[in-house]
Amino acid sequence: MSTISTDSGHGGPAQDERPYHEQYHAAHHFRNRDHEFDAVKMGVWLFLATEILLFSGMFCAYAVFRMLHPEAFINGSHYLDVEYGLINTLVLLLSSYTVAAGVRCAQVGDLRGLKRNILITLVCGVAFLAIKGIFEYGPKAMQGKLPGVFFSYPNAHDPNEPLWWGVYWVATGIHASHVIVGIGLFIWLYLRANKKHFGPRHYTAVEGVGLYWHIVDIVWIFLFPMLYLIH
Amino acid sequence: MSEQAATSHAEPHLEDHAEHHEHVIVPKMTLQLTLAVLVFFTVLTVLLSMGEAWIANEFDIVIPQLVNVAIALSIASIKTTVVVMFFMQLKYDNPLNTMVFIFTVLTVLFFLGFTMLDLGFRGSINRFETDYIKNGGSGHQLSMPYVEDVMERTGIQIPADAPTAMARAARIADPDNVKGKPGYVKVKDLHHDDHDHGHGHEHSDAGKSRPGHGITITALKPEGDHDGSRDGDGHDDDGEH
């Protein structure tokens, strides 16, 4: 109802004028904010462990199919353009840097720097998807270079190339869906940073999303040589 | 610990001091240096891959796949280590998180390692066990929607075969497949992908394909060994890429 109660959340008469990150208190089941921060961070790491295991399934499929059908996979990597893979790798590396720099900005209380870094990361994520979609997914789908039953590319060298496309589309597709989720998370972070939610005493969300984004980057660090470089 | 809980009501600055004892702020220089190292290794791995292709085309020395794979994955591992240590701050963090990460990596290596051991060496003790590895995956049993569509429209029977052969047959049967148009496929190309790898694939983008020796180590030989039959293609397209 009143402006005071919407601001403080408790409706107490003595309203705390400090920004959110200054007056932030850990949830009551934690000893203090540091305890909470460490618990959240470890939770994020355990989640990242499951992410790594998710992608390891695809790496395993890649290894098995490559051993069984080396020709199809050698042809497969020649269908891809190293340039786009390289550009996308650099885009993701840059975004990883800006995330790490953003965490640093939050730690030293540089809110403008934090917002700038989040924005650059966002743009990098969108650029990654745009490059992938416009120059890779689009043309390949048009040419019928699709997995399994959707395959309709008439000039294949090797009868097992649909398998290669299966690995390519599923691995990069799940990675791209992680990038989309990451973009959503960065929009959320930006909105919160806009409300001055983050500062030296409270930046848990920035740290957690940052770790997630780095894992997305690491997955691409492996996908890039596996798909584009190993001929 | 009880003192810390007590200080949480005190001055913000005091509390700050008590709570943030282990949050390391990584210097900006370190982060920038990390980025530089990552870009360096990315460019290095691309250059090595291009160099390998160049050596293969120029001097006709095909570097074994295993070397290629080992180099590329080692560089990726170095990059990952750098990202994890400095960007993800495991170097400065609670060692428990490092344990989580290391055990995850070990689990992945366990998966990969034992799968590869099985696949690569299954026949090396009892030769007959190799037969249990089915190559599979060529999709002979698939019925493909567009193939049925083309058959219905043109009345041409397209034999159920590997998806690649079906795709080629469907393209040839397609009324859009006209000489001079992009993506034209000649009738004589039909079924080339099964046996003859020598000629007639000028439309394929996989121009620089070379005979593959793969990373298959022992017993396993894919059905229909194509080794060496496609050297010609490798030399025709030196200019590309």
Side-chain angles (χ1 to χ4, degrees):
Chain A
M1 297 291 171
S2 72
T3 46
I4 293 174
S5 68
T6 50
D7 258 345
S8 73
H10 301 292
Q15 201 206 335
D16 199 341
E17 292 293 339
R18 291 176 298 159
Y20 178 85
H21 62 88
E22 286 283 335
Q23 50 172 310
Y24 179 81
H25 281 285
H28 66 87
H29 48 283
F30 292 110
R31 273 198 301 278
N32 50 36
R33 278 186 276 113
D34 217 30
H35 185 203
E36 185 185 59
F37 180 86
D38 283 349
V40 169
K41 200 165 179 183
M42 186 162 179
V44 171
W45 268 106
L46 288 172
F47 166 66
L48 296 186
T50 68
E51 288 282 45
I52 293 170
L53 294 178
L54 164 73
F55 280 101
S56 82
M58 278 167 282
F59 294 153
C60 231
Y62 173 91
V64 169
F65 289 142
R66 185 168 192 119
M67 276 180 95
L68 290 174
H69 311 293
E71 287 242 323
F73 275 66
I74 290 165
N75 288 344
S77 67
H78 283 293
Y79 286 122
L80 305 180
D81 293 306
V82 179
E83 300 86 48
Y84 298 131
L86 177 62
I87 291 169
N88 263 347
T89 309
L90 296 178
V91 165
L92 275 195
L93 287 180
L94 176 67
S95 72
S96 247
Y97 166 75
T98 54
V99 166
V103 170
R104 190 182 181 279
C105 286
Q107 284 171 329
V108 300
D110 176 8
L111 208 61
R112 276 189 51 174
L114 171 64
K115 286 202 295 197
R116 190 181 60 234
N117 278 314
I118 292 175
L119 261 190
I120 296 173
T121 314
L122 250 174
V123 169
C124 284
V126 173
F128 177 88
L129 288 179
I131 292 167
K132 198 118 197 73
I134 296 168
F135 299 111
E136 301 208 284
Y137 282 165
K140 284 181 177 57
M142 296 289 281
Q143 291 164 345
K145 293 166 175 171
L146 291 164
V149 76
F150 305 108
F151 183 87
S152 65
Y153 179 64
N155 292 310
H157 276 306
D158 191 278
N160 295 303
E161 276 175 32
L163 263 184
W164 152 267
W165 290 116
V167 170
Y168 170 81
W169 280 92
V170 173
T172 61
I174 293 184
H175 179 264
S177 67
H178 277 76
V179 173
I180 293 172
V181 170
I183 288 171
L185 289 172
F186 282 118
I187 292 173
W188 174 65
L189 278 190
Y190 186 82
L191 295 177
R192 286 192 65 185
N194 226 4
K195 291 185 203 154
K196 299 190 170 56
H197 274 198
F198 305 120
R201 285 154 51 88
H202 180 63
Y203 58 94
T204 318
V206 184
E207 179 89 28
V209 174
L211 288 176
Y212 168 83
W213 191 255
H214 292 311
I215 277 290
V216 172
D217 183 30
I218 285 174
V219 169
W220 185 256
I221 283 176
F222 275 96
L223 283 180
F224 173 55
M226 277 165 46
L227 297 174
Y228 293 78
L229 295 183
I230 299 172
H231 292 153
Chain B
M1 282 298 131
S2 57
E3 294 112 16
Q4 271 186 32
T7 52
S8 66
H9 306 289
E11 271 287 304
H13 287 292
L14 275 177
E15 192 194 353
D16 231 24
H17 187 69
E19 280 194 4
H20 286 257
H21 50 95
E22 50 183 302
H23 290 200
V24 175
I25 299 176
V26 185
K28 204 161 195 174
M29 191 68 191
T30 310
L31 296 178
Q32 286 166 348
L33 210 65
T34 307
L35 179 66
V37 168
L38 289 171
V39 170
F40 168 76
F41 275 112
T42 306
V43 173
L44 179 70
T45 186
V46 172
L47 286 181
L48 285 177
S49 158
M50 284 164 65
E52 179 258 344
W54 181 76
I55 288 172
N57 284 321
E58 203 74 5
F59 306 111
D60 212 26
I61 302 167
V62 181
I63 297 167
Q65 277 262 297
L66 206 55
V67 177
N68 204 341
V69 172
I71 290 175
L73 292 188
S74 309
I75 290 179
S77 304
I78 293 170
K79 285 165 70 182
T80 301
T81 312
V82 171
V83 170
V84 167
M85 277 175 69
F86 297 103
F87 280 173
M88 300 175 89
Q89 302 186 8
L90 274 191
K91 187 170 187 283
Y92 315 99
D93 203 5
N94 185 352
L96 209 53
N97 293 335
T98 312
M99 296 294 274
V100 171
F101 178 71
I102 287 176
F103 270 95
T104 314
V105 171
L106 287 181
T107 313
V108 172
L109 290 179
F110 185 81
F111 287 166
L112 276 172
F114 275 84
T115 313
M116 294 300 97
L117 272 181
D118 176 34
L119 212 55
F121 296 101
R122 193 184 294 185
S124 50
I125 295 171
N126 294 318
R127 186 81 190 155
F128 67 88
E129 289 183 329
T130 316
D131 297 343
Y132 297 148
I133 300 176
K134 288 259 189 297
N135 271 343
S138 55
H140 285 269
Q141 313 87 344
L142 294 176
S143 83
M144 302 170 105
Y146 66 90
V147 170
E148 277 149 30
D149 178 54
V150 169
M151 286 202 292
E152 207 173 287
R153 275 193 292 113
T154 60
I156 298 172
Q157 264 325 102
I158 294 169
D161 210 331
T164 47
M166 281 208 281
R168 184 163 301 146
R171 180 69 190 149
I172 287 164
D174 198 329
D176 268 0
N177 187 37
V178 181
K179 196 169 185 175
K181 267 196 175 181
Y184 170 65
V185 179
K186 280 180 280 187
V187 178
K188 78 176 181 65
D189 286 346
L190 195 61
H191 288 306
H192 259 190
D193 60 3
D194 283 335
H195 306 292
D196 176 12
H197 285 266
H199 318 280
H201 293 303
E202 56 271 22
H203 301 298
S204 174
D205 326 348
K208 291 210 301 176
S209 291
R210 302 190 59 84
H213 300 284
I215 51 174
T216 311
I217 306 161
T218 49
L220 187 70
K221 275 273 181 210
E223 39 188 311
D225 196 3
H226 313 301
D227 279 7
S229 58
R230 242 181 326 116
D231 258 312
D233 274 15
H235 296 291
D236 289 346
D237 310 87
D238 278 358
E240 283 185 29
H241 285 280

